[in-house]
Amino acid sequence: MPRGPKGEKRPADAIGNAVHVMRIATGEEADTGHVIPARADSGKRGGKSRIAKLGPKDRVELAKKGAAARWKKR
């Protein structure tokens, strides 16, 4: 069975996908939805705590460095 971009299992053909959607709509199967992996969630929390520990000058320095990297010509 093919896997989607988030690693979820998907039916390989259009009819199988339609049957899967029908089963979710009628309540025969549970909709998994989009689950955020734990590593992504902990990375976001780590970044926020890192920024909270920095002083204003350090934050400005990091922001300028990030902006320069985003706008840099390749």
Side-chain angles (χ1 to χ4, degrees):
M1 185 173 276
R3 298 222 177 238
K6 303 275 186 191
E8 67 274 6
K9 292 182 178 179
R10 290 186 174 175
D13 59 343
I15 295 172
N17 194 27
V19 170
H20 181 67
V21 169
M22 183 264 318
R23 286 182 178 158
I24 291 173
T26 58
E28 291 179 38
E29 288 185 21
D31 186 16
T32 57
H34 297 289
V35 179
I36 299 173
R39 62 183 181 268
D41 189 38
S42 64
K44 290 177 185 175
R45 282 187 277 127
K48 287 181 183 178
S49 65
R50 178 175 172 247
I51 290 297
K53 292 176 186 176
L54 293 174
K57 290 183 181 178
D58 294 327
R59 283 197 305 267
V60 169
E61 220 174 274
L62 283 175
K64 285 181 181 180
K65 185 177 176 182
R70 281 192 300 274
W71 288 98
K72 185 174 109 174
K73 299 273 184 178
R74 294 187 184 197

